[in-house]
Amino acid sequence: MFKRFIALEWKQFSRSSYFQKGIAIKILLALGALYFIGMAAFMGVAGYFGIQKFMPDKDPITVVNNFVIYWFLADMVFRYFLQQLPVLNIKPYMVIPIKRSTVIHFLLGKTSVSFFNFLPMFFFLPFSITSLVNGDYAVINVVAWFFSMLFFTLSINYLNFLLNKNNKVFYGILTVLVAAGLLQYYQVYSITEPAGYFFNTIYEKPYAVIIPLLLMVMLYRFNFKFVRKDFYLDGAISKETKEVHTQELTWLNRFGKVAPFLKNDVRMIIRNKRPKQVLFMSFLFLFYGLIFYPQESYQDMPAFLAFASMFVTGGFLMSFGQLVPSWDSEYYKLLMSQNIPYREYLKSKWSLMVVAVVISFILSTPYIYFGWDIFGMIAAGALFNMGLNSFITLYGGVLNQVPMELNVKAKAFSNTQGFNPTQLLIALPKIFGPMLIFYLPYKFINFETGIICLAVSGVLGLAFTNFFLNQIEKVYQKQKYKTIAAFSEKK
């Protein structure tokens, strides 16, 4: 039966619009994956000799065990934000004689076939082999240690599934991590020592490998029970119907032809958790500069100050804009069938992002405390966001053909619908562009010239607004039917 499932999954993937989308993007992502795999393998080999060189009086495996807890914590965070959990359209299977347990086991098995599960192997396996070849270690101990690392990695994989599906688990784990971080920061209690002792015990006593194995099995069973609980046609997969109250928002009529689209976006933000989350996170971006501006170490690295200045006013642009047009995926087909100019739809999204940047800039006024140079950089970053980053973000929407369901029960801070790795590539020019535009004039002339060049680049972008919108409209029109087909698919 699993063979049949795999065949059906391959047909669904190969026939979908995602298979046809952006071969260049796929190549870049593949090269990125190979790069990280190569770096992990290199660090696995070089790590052993590096520890021997810089810590000759310590055992390399013991050193890794003392700090491997941070590896797993970072792995959990990266998985939460980047790992796309596999889904399965279960309705067709529920009306034919297939055991529910079989379908659930296949769904959970798909989570194990992930880049995030293979990457640690390319670190721990070379490290283990290097340790056996160059060190005086018992084979059984090293093998047991390697498999324990593998079991912990899979345990995090299944824990990530629960984090993305269960609010109670998410907030519980978040509370524990925040508490541990605060205790570590204020030097009340350090998790490094007990964690190191635990992992060293697993290495010294090979039979202790049963602990991570049991943890993996336990988390797998939790996932199985969690999915099975709502595995009914009239359960969690049924659509929820509830009464909503409409808002007229007549004050937006002053914006003319783009007013209907702006009203749709404002209503969406008011009614749904995910857009509210984006709005809240955009507010938090205002405090991003506090990480850089007070630190003396960054005063000699002004390119990073330009990076921070762009983020202070670009929170909403980055978080909301990167999900255009996925916000409208549920009614995109209806929207595109109306007798309305595509240009007005795009202009409404652009206008919303620009207004958000202006509001963020006004709220960033207290940064004058750090000096007029810093505030001038924030102003230049705001102009760059309005004049260039807004168009780059809008253009990136062509490559974002992942649907988003806003009307289902979903968690607020852990909803990653509509996200795909392609967005990371689109984010590169938005992040490094302003840094480069500022740094080159700063390096060859002075600080003020760098700010002026950054601001002028944004002003030029605003001057060519019609040109950029025309070019973006052509690309959206070309991809219109592919986007409609992608949004119609069940991911």
Side-chain angles (χ1 to χ4, degrees), residues 34-279:
L34 291 175
Y35 169 79
F36 284 110
I37 288 174
M39 288 298 297
F42 172 77
M43 291 300 298
V45 176
Y48 178 87
F49 296 108
I51 295 173
Q52 275 193 331
K53 180 178 180 180
F54 295 103
M55 302 178 182
D57 57 331
K58 294 186 178 181
D59 179 41
I61 291 184
T62 301
V63 173
V64 171
N65 284 336
N66 288 336
F67 295 98
V68 75
I69 182 64
Y70 295 109
W71 170 290
F72 289 129
L73 289 176
D75 185 24
M76 183 168 60
V77 172
F78 277 107
R79 283 174 184 270
Y80 177 75
F81 287 104
L82 298 180
Q83 184 179 8
Q84 288 185 304
L85 296 180
V87 295
L88 189 66
N89 187 14
I90 62 175
K91 288 185 179 180
Y93 299 111
M94 299 181 74
V95 295
I96 56 179
I98 298 179
K99 291 183 178 180
R100 286 183 296 168
S101 59
T102 303
V103 180
I104 298 173
H105 283 308
F106 178 74
L107 174 62
L108 295 178
K110 286 176 64 178
T111 67
S112 303
V113 186
S114 170
F115 170 76
F116 290 91
N117 292 331
F118 290 118
L119 184 61
M121 291 179 58
F122 287 94
F123 172 80
F124 290 114
L125 183 59
F127 186 86
S128 300
I129 294 175
T130 306
S131 300
L132 288 174
V133 173
N134 296 277
D136 185 20
Y137 298 101
V139 175
I140 185 65
N141 293 73
V142 175
V143 171
W145 178 80
F146 168 73
F147 277 101
S148 68
M149 297 298 105
L150 180 61
F151 293 147
F152 277 123
T153 298
L154 291 174
S155 298
I156 294 175
N157 175 74
Y158 297 128
L159 178 61
N160 183 55
F161 191 93
L162 289 174
L163 287 172
N164 279 271
K165 299 296 182 181
N166 192 313
N167 278 335
K168 293 181 180 179
V169 175
F170 171 76
Y171 288 113
I173 296 295
L174 180 63
T175 302
V176 172
L177 292 180
V178 170
L182 291 175
L183 292 174
Q184 180 91 9
Y185 180 79
Y186 290 105
Q187 298 181 350
V188 177
Y189 181 78
S190 175
I191 63 172
T192 304
E193 293 183 7
Y197 177 79
F198 173 75
F199 289 112
N200 281 316
T201 301
I202 293 179
Y203 164 72
E204 294 168 359
K205 301 177 180 179
Y207 60 83
V209 72
I210 195 69
I211 296 175
L213 176 60
L214 290 176
L215 177 64
M216 181 189 69
V217 173
M218 180 183 68
L219 288 171
Y220 184 92
R221 294 299 302 173
F222 280 161
N223 279 284
F224 182 88
K225 292 179 180 179
F226 177 79
V227 176
R228 186 182 179 91
K229 180 180 64 175
D230 292 320
F231 202 86
Y232 300 94
L233 284 173
D234 56 349
I237 61 173
S238 62
K239 291 189 176 181
E240 180 184 16
T241 303
K242 62 180 180 180
E243 182 181 356
V244 297
H245 300 281
T246 185
Q247 294 88 12
E248 294 298 331
L249 303 175
T250 54
W251 55 276
L252 288 172
N253 291 335
R254 69 187 68 180
F255 292 99
K257 294 181 180 180
V258 301
F261 304 106
L262 291 175
K263 289 180 180 180
N264 282 340
D265 289 331
V266 173
R267 292 188 185 109
M268 176 185 65
I269 293 173
I270 293 174
R271 295 174 181 176
N272 297 280
K273 289 183 179 180
R274 181 71 185 277
K276 288 180 181 178
Q277 171 202 353
V278 167
L279 194 62

Side-chain angles (χ1 to χ4, degrees), residues 338-413:
Q338 304 300 307
N339 185 23
I340 52 177
Y342 213 136
R343 165 70 174 271
E344 302 304 326
Y345 171 79
L346 296 174
K347 189 176 181 180
S348 70
K349 303 295 184 185
W350 177 80
S351 301
L352 194 63
M353 289 187 284
V354 168
V355 170
V357 172
V358 172
I359 294 174
S360 298
F361 173 68
I362 295 173
L363 295 176
S364 68
T365 304
Y367 279 109
I368 295 177
Y369 171 81
F370 294 102
W372 287 102
D373 288 344
I374 294 297
F375 189 68
M377 185 175 286
I378 293 175
L383 287 172
F384 183 88
N385 281 328
M386 290 188 289
L388 289 178
N389 267 354
S390 58
F391 298 114
I392 297 174
T393 302
L394 203 57
Y395 175 80
V398 177
L399 301 176
N400 184 26
Q401 297 177 352
V402 181
M404 183 186 304
E405 299 180 39
L406 296 175
N407 294 325
V408 299
K409 288 183 178 180
K411 45 199 179 308
F413 285 91

